[in-house]
Amino acid sequence: MVKTTQGEVLAPLEIPITRTLIVAGAIASRDYQDVHHDAELARAKGSPDIFMNILTTNGLVGRYVTDHFGPTAVLRKVAIRLGAPNYPGDKMVLNGTVEQVEVSPEGMTAAVRVVGANGIGNHVTGTVTVTVPPEGGPA
């Protein structure tokens, strides 16, 4: 089982925000809103460009936490809030801090505070709860 402690800081993850990432994330999550794939229509609605949807952000946050805790980690709760949009050509840097750790016979459960910032501010803030089973045990 992965060992972690309250206050542990996760290594930052830098994610380039490309048009491909934005469009692919929207399609993969079946979000066909034009602001996520059509720059002209996004501008007509007041946005300077297409922007990332919340489901893509949610997936990236989940990946960030499970990459840290390993392949047996199971997301139990992802509670995030969006702020500044992720536009193409920017980058988002995810940072995390372990806020709480509980160990039981079923494994370790940790609450991780996550912030993802881009060039114009915080894109995402929230808390992710993850469980890591004991070695050889079920999740």
Side-chain angles (χ1 to χ4, degrees), residues 81-101:
R81 174 170 282 189
L82 292 184
N86 267 340
Y87 293 118
D90 205 345
K91 68 180 171 190
M92 177 174 64
V93 179
L94 290 167
N95 287 284
T97 304
V98 177
E99 291 189 325
Q100 183 179 8
V101 178

Side-chain angles (χ1 to χ4, degrees), residues 13-118:
L13 175 63
E14 193 172 294
I15 301 170
I17 307 302
T18 64
R19 287 186 184 283
T20 301
L21 176 62
I22 293 169
V23 173
I27 290 169
S29 60
R30 297 182 180 180
D31 182 346
Y32 304 116
Q33 294 292 316
D34 51 25
V35 295
H36 303 308
H37 64 84
D38 188 318
E40 186 177 312
L41 289 175
R43 282 191 285 278
K45 292 182 176 181
S47 178
D49 206 335
I50 63 171
F51 54 91
M52 185 175 285
N53 72 352
I54 192 169
L55 295 171
T56 302
T57 300
N58 197 55
L60 293 170
V61 167
R63 169 191 147 202
Y64 174 59
V65 173
T66 57
D67 279 358
H68 176 77
F69 286 97
T72 62
V74 177
L75 295 173
R76 297 296 181 192
K77 181 178 181 183
V78 178
I80 61 171
R81 174 170 282 189
L82 292 184
N86 267 340
Y87 293 118
D90 205 345
K91 68 180 171 190
M92 177 174 64
V93 179
L94 290 167
N95 287 284
T97 304
V98 177
E99 291 189 325
Q100 183 179 8
V101 178
E102 295 178 16
V103 178
S104 71
E106 289 78 39
M108 177 200 65
T109 299
V112 181
R113 179 78 178 152
V114 176
V115 176
N118 60 32

